[in-house]
Amino acid sequence: MNLGIVGQAAGLFAVTNIDDILILSLFFAQGAGHHGSVRRIVIGQYLGFAAILAGAGAAAFGATFLPESAIPYLGLLPLALGLKAAWQAWKHRDDEDDEKETPEGGPKALEVAAVTFANGGDNIGVYVPVFATAGVGGMSVYVIVFLILVAVWCFAGRFFATRPVIAKALSRWGHILLPMVLTTIGLLILIEGGAFGL
């Protein structure tokens, strides 16, 4: 295995996914105290990133699942989830602060996957030329490194969400920050991609 390719893959992953640490931290904070939420968040992150890799790999070999003009509309996913989270926060604004542990509370795996995929839609455009020029062997190294780093990103998101100062802030403001971040990501994807003639 070429260490140069490993380093390039790690750098490419870090540069294209730095914003995911904030999103993961918010998801982990939202899932705090809910049984199984860590597992669902990690599964969702892997599902979303696997979809990104599948799209980039297929496009590198000439097959695209989505036309390029459809990619900006992926912004509708985090926008819808952000609006849903805002509605839930508003609906439960008068509830007691002491949340009871619920068996299936917190973010769902498919919600995390949808946000990961939509937020990484632009990553596909970056990964395609890299995968196409790396060949099958090089692309395999990129995929392995990326999948290992997804675990590192999940650990980092969980780490930040459990630091006392950050956890306190996320506990207090997370129900407001998560809808804002998701809605902002959705709008940015739509606007930057020129969806709806924006």
Side-chain angles (χ1 to χ4, degrees):
M1 189 178 292
N2 186 335
L3 290 179
I5 294 178
V6 171
Q8 291 170 5
L12 182 61
F13 181 90
V15 167
T16 56
N17 293 288
I18 195 71
D19 53 341
D20 277 349
I21 291 181
L22 171 63
I23 297 166
L24 281 167
S25 296
L26 289 168
F27 277 136
F28 281 119
Q30 184 187 32
H34 298 286
H35 180 69
S37 66
V38 171
R39 183 183 71 248
R40 288 192 302 276
I41 293 166
V42 171
I43 289 170
Q45 184 71 7
Y46 268 102
L47 286 174
F49 203 78
I52 291 169
L53 291 176
F61 292 110
T64 56
F65 297 118
L66 291 172
E68 193 172 320
S69 60
I71 291 177
Y73 295 96
L74 292 175
L76 293 172
L77 292 170
L79 179 62
L81 291 171
L83 293 174
K84 178 186 171 198
W87 171 252
Q88 292 295 326
W90 184 79
K91 196 166 87 171
H92 298 291
R93 67 191 180 281
D94 295 326
D95 290 357
E96 292 291 322
D97 286 339
D98 301 327
E99 290 186 26
K100 295 176 182 166
E101 184 170 314
T102 58
E104 289 297 320
K108 311 260 185 301
L110 289 179
E111 291 174 347
V112 175
V115 170
T116 301
F117 182 72
N119 191 38
D122 57 339
N123 293 9
I124 293 174
V126 175
Y127 297 162
V128 169
V130 172
F131 286 0
T133 57
V136 175
M139 188 172 84
S140 300
V141 174
Y142 274 94
V143 169
I144 290 167
V145 171
F146 285 0
L147 292 176
I148 291 168
L149 290 176
V150 167
V152 172
W153 249 233
C154 289
F155 175 79
R158 176 112 169 93
F159 176 81
F160 289 125
T162 57
R163 296 305 91 199
V165 172
I166 297 172
K168 186 176 178 183
L170 291 177
S171 170
R172 182 170 182 177
W173 300 105
H175 67 288
I176 295 170
L177 287 175
L178 182 66
M180 285 176 52
V181 168
L182 293 179
T183 303
T184 302
I185 288 171
L187 289 172
L188 286 174
I189 293 169
L190 289 168
I191 292 168
E192 288 176 0
F196 305 112
L198 297 173

